[in-house]
Every structure is written in structure tokens, then in C-alpha cells.
Amino acid sequence: MPQLSSETLLFVGCATLDSIALVQDYPAADSRTVASDFATAGGGPAATAAVAAARAGASAAFAGVVGADEEGDRIISGLEAEGVDTSAVIRNPDARTGASVIVVSKATESRAIVTRPVPPVRFPESSRFHELLGTASWVHVDHLGWSAVAHVPGLRISVDAGNPIPSFSPQGVALYVPTIERLQAEYGDGLSPEALLQKAVDDGATAVVATAGSEGAWGLDKGGVPFHVPATPADIVSTLGAGDVYHGAILAAVAAGLPLPEAAAFAGRTASASCAGLDGRSMIPRQTITPVLT
């Protein structure tokens, strides 16, 4: 069975503090709505991916920027409680930590997000971030973390492309994980999933896995054959953060040496399990990666 490397997986990008309410229907204007559940939890694509990787047994570190405020304190303590190294987090006293208020509707299985943007993700030349870049076995970035690594040579990069990334190219990206919708926006919506994957590989990605929610995911290794992994049935309370969980889980599985189809299946099961929680992290399973596709 493949064993997780002791080398660090470095996750770079966004971290937020989320306040989440579960309601039957979205509130009307000037109304008072009673929530059936309420939670406050850490969020953000790269930060949540780091937690998912750590719960799969990986050695994970997070690099991002938060304010010198209570929200920043809570984000860091939450990551450290999961065993995520936060030594590369920058505390900016002139910025406020990213935060969101999220309303989840049971009736529509959807959510509405009001967010305070995170500070710009920038790291001084002498920072701990640059030390970790030199030792990490993989570097995973979200849409805000990409600019910090885009021009650094020699990195093995995983990219969460669920959100638009200005000036992004998959050239040189070892693991490119967009949504099918993102590939359609880039290459055209008249192409099959298999053709979209091939376009991304032709543009320079080594491996591509494109997610499509309830339709599962499609994947392709350069020089390989496209594959489809069906979605895992989910007991859904909220899908908040499920995509971020998928990214952390698939990278942990790839880093453990699993073939890409097995890694995608593992990530799908992990993301599906996380949907049983209101927030994006509490129901991420603690598990051992195995090479068996089920």
C-alpha cells in the first residue's frame, strides 16, 4: 500500500472565518428567520484543502495572509488544531481578516454568501513561505495563491481552478483541477468532457481532473486514457467547502502514490462525506488512504 510522504504539502491562498446559518427558505427583505442550525468555522479554498489533506494523513502547511485581529487568531488556532503548519501565515496589522456570512437553504440545497475579501496574498522575500517552497513536495494554490507561485521555477504545482484566475495558463501545472464549467468557459461549451480535458493537457497540464458536482468527475493523465468517476451519493446538509475538500483529498492521494482515477474516487468520497456538516470542515473524515478504487 502506498504510504504518505513525510514531505510537506504546502497550501497557498485564501483563509476566512465563516458564520453559517441553516434555514428552510431564504429570508425575505425586512424579515426575521429562525435558523435550524448555526455555526462559525474556518473556511477559504486553500485553508480548507489543507485541513482535508491533514485529515487524510498528509503533512500539510498553509500560507496566506490574515489580519492581526480576533478572526485571524481563530483561523490560525483552527488550522493548528488540525495539525496544519501555520508558520508561513502573514499577520498584516493594516488589514482585516477575510470573513463571510453564509445562509444555506434546505429547500433548494443552495447557499448565499456575503463576504469581506481577504487581504492580498503576498509574502516578503525573507519570509517562512519561501523556505517552505524549497522543501515542499507539492504546492497547491487557489485563485488567490496562484500569483505567489506562478513565476517560481521547479515547483510541482496543484491548482484549484474552480474560480477564475487572471492570466492563468495550465502550462507546467502537474495537477490541474478545474470544474467542467471552467473548462467550458475556456475552451467552449460544445465539447465533450474528454475533449475539454485533452485541450487542457495540450495547453501544458500534466494531469487534469474536472469536477461536475452530482455528475462526478472526469480525468486525464498526459498520454493516458480519459476516465470518469461517478459521484458518491451524499447525505447533504450543505455543500459548502465540498470542492475545497476535494482538492485537499485528491492531492493527498496523489502524493501517496495512488493512480489518478483512484485518487479522484478517494477525493469524491471525502468531499461527499463532508456535505453531512453545515460548515465545510467538521465532517471531513479522518481516514487512511488505500489504493483500492471502490
Side-chain angles (χ1 to χ4, degrees):
M1 183 176 72
Q3 298 297 315
L4 281 171
S5 168
S6 61
E7 294 180 291
T8 297
L9 310 182
L10 175 61
F11 295 80
V12 185
C14 177
T16 63
L17 189 68
D18 297 338
S19 296
I20 312 144
L22 179 65
V23 299
Q24 183 62 34
D25 297 291
Y26 289 120
D30 297 322
S31 67
R32 179 179 183 272
T33 300
V34 176
S36 58
D37 199 3
F38 193 91
T40 300
T48 298
V51 171
R55 289 199 180 186
S59 174
F62 172 74
V65 180
V66 299
D69 49 23
E70 180 185 358
E71 291 94 336
D73 292 342
R74 293 178 69 177
I75 286 171
I76 289 174
S77 63
L79 290 170
E80 290 177 345
E82 297 288 350
V84 176
D85 179 351
T86 63
S87 62
V89 174
I90 300 294
R91 303 299 299 268
N92 183 347
D94 299 319
R96 298 186 71 186
T97 296
S100 298
V101 175
I102 302 166
V103 179
V104 177
S105 166
K106 290 192 286 186
T108 62
E109 293 186 353
S110 63
R111 60 186 181 268
I113 302 175
V114 181
T115 190
R116 181 172 69 203
V118 304
V121 179
R122 302 190 185 103
F123 302 95
E125 286 298 326
S126 60
S127 68
R128 170 68 171 157
F129 167 72
H130 293 283
E131 295 179 22
L132 286 178
L133 278 183
T135 59
S137 59
W138 281 86
V139 179
H140 173 83
V141 299
D142 61 22
H143 61 296
L144 296 182
W146 170 251
S147 61
V149 306
H151 303 295
V152 180
L155 299 178
R156 186 159 50 170
I157 298 178
S158 162
V159 176
D160 169 358
N163 292 304
I165 303 176
S167 303
F168 173 76
S169 167
Q171 178 64 45
V173 173
L175 179 60
Y176 176 36
V177 189
T179 60
I180 283 288
E181 291 79 8
R182 178 56 44 202
L183 291 183
Q184 289 171 333
E186 181 67 24
Y187 300 118
D189 58 10
L191 298 176
S192 68
E194 293 82 1
L196 292 168
L197 296 173
Q198 189 61 58
K199 287 280 190 183
V201 169
D202 291 344
D203 278 350
T206 302
V208 184
V209 176
T211 59
S214 62
E215 296 180 25
W218 283 264
L220 177 65
D221 269 313
K222 185 176 182 179
V225 177
F227 63 86
H228 177 249
V229 176
T232 302
D235 182 13
I236 296 175
V237 174
S238 169
T239 60
L240 181 67
D244 309 328
V245 172
Y246 188 100
H247 288 95
I250 195 170
L251 182 56
V254 168
L258 268 65
L260 193 61
E262 293 186 21
F266 174 81
R269 294 192 298 271
T270 303
S272 177
S274 76
C275 294
L278 177 58
D279 65 292
R281 297 185 186 174
S282 61
M283 296 302 291
I284 300 172
R286 301 181 188 275
Q287 56 196 325
T288 300
I289 295 175
T290 68
V292 177
L293 179 60
T294 59

